[in-house]
Amino acid sequence: REAMPRNPLDEAPKYRSSGKIQSNLTMEQFVAMRKSIIAWGTAPRCRSDWARLLGMLDIVMGSSLRIGEVLALRPYDLDFSGKKPTIEVTGTIVEHAGKLVRQDVPKAPGQERIIPIPRPAARTLAALAARTDPNGLLFGTRSGEPDGNANRLLGAWKKSAEGQRWIRDTGIKPREVTFKLLRRTAATKTR
């Protein structure tokens, strides 16, 4: 009764799993990463942007946001009035006509959300909000434009002696040390 004489999937190509194991960080590895970034940024040559990188990492680990969503945060997206601080995710940074702009929806419509965040990430956000125009971006440039240097900044740390030492000590491949690694780690941890 209208049944197919054979299974069409029998002739479909077989796909093998890539066997790729997704890395995650332990809390000890993340703490060591933070210490490494602080050492890289403060001595002997002081890098002015190390604190920005540390702030981005803290927020990604505390919220599991995409890096574009972190870069799109504004002071009025934060709420410290309740028992638990929260972030309202209302946008992301995208490239449009060769220029970075804040898109007023996250990666896809319907992904707007309010996320509770741990106190350490809240302290980082509060410090950033205190020195940012209320309508500006927490991680914007001095002129208020979206900052596209998050990956460059992470890459600079990874190439430094401190970053290389951390990578060697953790055994994680350098190409896997990304904001997505932190997001994946945060998503797998219970709060």
Side-chain angles (χ1 to χ4, degrees):
R1 297 192 175 198
E2 299 180 24
M4 297 181 80
R6 61 184 169 70
N7 185 350
L9 293 179
D10 288 341
E11 295 174 14
K14 306 288 187 228
Y15 291 103
R16 281 187 242 133
S17 169
S18 66
K20 182 178 170 185
I21 297 173
Q22 301 287 331
S23 296
N24 280 319
L25 296 179
T26 65
M27 193 48 68
E28 294 77 24
Q29 289 171 326
F30 179 66
V31 169
M33 182 183 203
R34 290 184 92 261
K35 288 179 182 175
S36 174
I37 291 169
I38 292 168
W40 166 67
T42 57
R45 74 248 167 257
C46 185
R47 287 189 58 102
S48 61
D49 49 3
W50 70 271
R52 289 174 68 83
L53 176 60
L54 201 59
M56 290 175 208
L57 297 179
D58 284 350
I59 294 164
V60 171
M61 278 294 286
S63 65
S64 189
L65 292 179
R66 296 174 181 94
I67 188 61
E69 293 170 337
V70 169
L71 297 176
L73 288 173
R74 302 164 296 191
Y76 64 82
D77 294 328
L78 313 175
D79 183 5
F80 301 116
S81 63
K83 273 185 138 180
K84 185 122 177 150
T86 60
I87 298 173
E88 184 173 4
V89 182
T90 60
T92 191
I93 300 298
V94 295
E95 187 173 340
H96 181 68
K99 184 178 179 185
L100 292 176
V101 293
R102 185 182 191 282
Q103 173 179 290
D104 288 333
V105 294
K107 189 174 180 181
Q111 290 185 342
E112 298 85 0
R113 57 209 184 272
I114 296 176
I115 300 173
I117 54 171
R119 295 269 176 220
R123 283 192 292 274
T124 300
L125 286 166
L128 288 165
R131 59 178 196 250
T132 304
D133 179 297
N135 296 318
L137 299 172
L138 294 177
F139 292 103
T141 63
R142 287 187 180 132
S143 63
E145 299 295 317
D147 189 356
N149 290 325
N151 289 318
R152 177 200 55 81
L153 193 54
L154 183 62
W157 167 74
K158 288 188 328 188
K159 290 177 185 173
S160 72
E162 295 86 355
Q164 290 293 307
R165 191 174 313 112
W166 180 85
I167 288 169
R168 187 180 58 249
D169 291 348
T170 60
I172 296 174
K173 295 176 183 161
R175 65 178 162 74
E176 291 182 16
V177 181
T178 62
F179 286 104
K180 192 167 187 169
L181 168 70
L182 296 168
R183 182 170 190 253
R184 191 171 50 241
T185 297
T188 61
K189 305 294 180 204
T190 57
R191 294 181 195 204

